[in-house]
Each structure stands twice: as structure tokens, then as C-alpha cells.
Amino acid sequence: MELAYYSDYAVRLVNSEEPGRNTDTLTSVEAVRELFGGSSQAARRATDSDVTRFRSVRARLRAVFEAADSGDETLAVDLLNSLLMEFPVSPQVSGHDDRDDEGNPLWHMHLADHPSNATSGYAAIAAMGLAFHLTEHGVDRLGLCEAAPCRNAYLDTSTNRSRRYCSDRCATRANVAAYRARKRLETARSASTGRAADTAQRSTANGER
């Protein structure tokens, strides 16, 4: 499992809430466990108490994305560093019994955690994954969807740093909205031009009399 994979933990947690739509799916211990994805062993540690703790970590992770999205790199890094200090991890070399075609172990870096609760484990992995993505690709690769009212978090992996939306759905919705806005503006300008022409014609006619 590559370290880049862990950055998705941060995105999943942040996007469990959409403030602009007043929606929040993080309302039960089952919802907490679902955030772990395939890590069923870690998910089993979750209890009802983790719901509140997860929400607290979520707010802090969103603050990292908000700072990055606004261009405040120093604040984004400071906020992320505070999470890394509070929720440390233990990097380990692991193979998970995976082998290549010749039978050799497929070694890779793994973030092992030994927390007292599910929140600590998840927060440690999410913060470390986000830190890896930030240092590897740049703070400007952390963004918030521009398709209002979405504001979901995303990690920009495009080659030209051009991503602006969290999904194809939001990109399509924003493009349609922009197209309709342009058409309304064109219609308004056309109507204004028509009225101006009518006024000019009337003025000319009155002058000829």
C-alpha cells in the first residue's frame, strides 16, 4: 500500500459533511466504520464515542483544505502539522504476503498505528497521507469544489494543475450553469441593443418632422 493512498482517508472524512447543503452522513458508529473502507480490523475498534471525535478531526482537516484553497500555504501546513503531532504513526516496511512473479516479497511502506481508539488511528493515517500528498505535489493540489454549494474537498492529480471540481458531475453542473448565464447575458444585451435602436429611430423620425 503506497503512502499516497492514505490521503484519500482525509478526503473521505471531510466530504462526509457538506455544509453548503446542510448534510452530514457522519451520524452513527456504522458511518464511522464505513470510512475505513477495506480496513475492517481498524473499523472494529470504533464505538459511539468516536462519532463526536471524528467530527472534530473532520473540522480540522477541512480547515487545512480551506487554507490551501485560499492560497495560505503556511496556515495549511501549520494546521496539518498540529494534527501530525497529536496523532503520530509508525512507518513500517510491509509485504502483506504479496509476491512478484519470481516469488520475491513486494515490499512497500505501511503506516502502522497503535491508537487507543478508532479516531486516533484514522486521524493519524489521514494526516500522514495528506502530508505526503502536500509535500510531494504542492499545497495548491489541495482544493475545494468550485461548484457552489458543493465545496467538497479533492486532491488535484491533473498534469497541468487545472482541477477545479470534486467530480465530473459537479464540473458538468458548473459548465451548464455558466452556459445558461452567458445565454441570459447575451439575451439581455440583445434586448438592450434593440431598445436603443428603437429609441434612435424614434428620435430620428421626430427630428425629421
Side-chain angles (χ1 to χ4, degrees):
M1 186 178 296
E2 298 180 357
L3 293 181
Y5 165 86
Y6 293 109
S7 58
D8 289 336
Y9 276 58
V11 174
R12 286 204 300 270
L13 178 53
V14 171
N15 291 346
S16 65
E17 178 187 31
E18 295 187 63
R21 294 191 173 104
N22 294 316
T23 62
D24 186 350
T25 61
L26 191 55
T27 57
S28 65
V29 65
E30 288 76 17
V32 168
R33 289 170 179 159
E34 288 178 3
L35 288 171
F36 283 90
S39 184
S40 58
Q41 183 176 356
R44 281 195 292 269
R45 290 198 299 262
T47 66
D48 290 331
S49 299
D50 284 298
V51 176
T52 300
R53 289 194 288 257
F54 260 69
R55 287 179 172 179
S56 175
V57 172
R58 179 178 65 187
R60 295 170 66 182
L61 284 170
R62 175 170 282 279
V64 175
F65 278 92
E66 288 175 342
D69 189 65
S70 68
D72 195 337
E73 295 192 10
T74 300
L75 178 58
V77 170
D78 287 344
L79 293 171
L80 187 53
N81 276 336
S82 69
L83 284 164
L84 291 169
M85 293 177 64
E86 185 173 344
F87 302 105
V89 296
S90 302
Q92 294 180 354
V93 177
S94 176
H96 293 303
D97 297 325
D98 295 330
R99 303 279 173 169
D100 62 18
D101 294 337
E102 298 179 356
N104 299 312
L106 294 172
W107 302 115
H108 59 268
M109 290 300 297
H110 174 77
L111 299 183
D113 61 276
H114 312 283
S116 58
N117 58 68
T119 303
S120 296
Y122 193 100
I125 291 174
M128 189 64 194
L130 198 57
F132 176 80
H133 191 94
L134 184 151
T135 55
E136 183 73 9
H137 303 291
V139 178
D140 60 340
R141 293 288 187 147
L142 278 61
L144 293 173
C145 186
E146 293 185 13
C150 179
R151 301 302 283 169
N152 271 351
Y154 65 82
L155 299 172
D156 186 0
T157 56
S158 63
T159 56
N160 58 355
R161 300 174 182 266
S162 62
R163 185 170 179 179
R164 298 167 55 199
Y165 307 104
C166 69
S167 65
D168 291 339
R169 179 183 178 183
C170 276
T172 299
R173 184 162 54 84
N175 289 334
V176 169
Y179 171 79
R180 289 175 176 171
R182 288 196 301 271
K183 295 301 290 184
R184 286 194 298 269
L185 181 60
E186 290 173 3
T187 300
R189 286 176 175 172
S190 178
S192 178
T193 301
R195 287 193 298 271
D198 289 343
T199 300
Q201 289 177 354
R202 286 195 298 271
S203 297
T204 300
N206 291 334
E208 291 176 350
R209 292 195 194 99

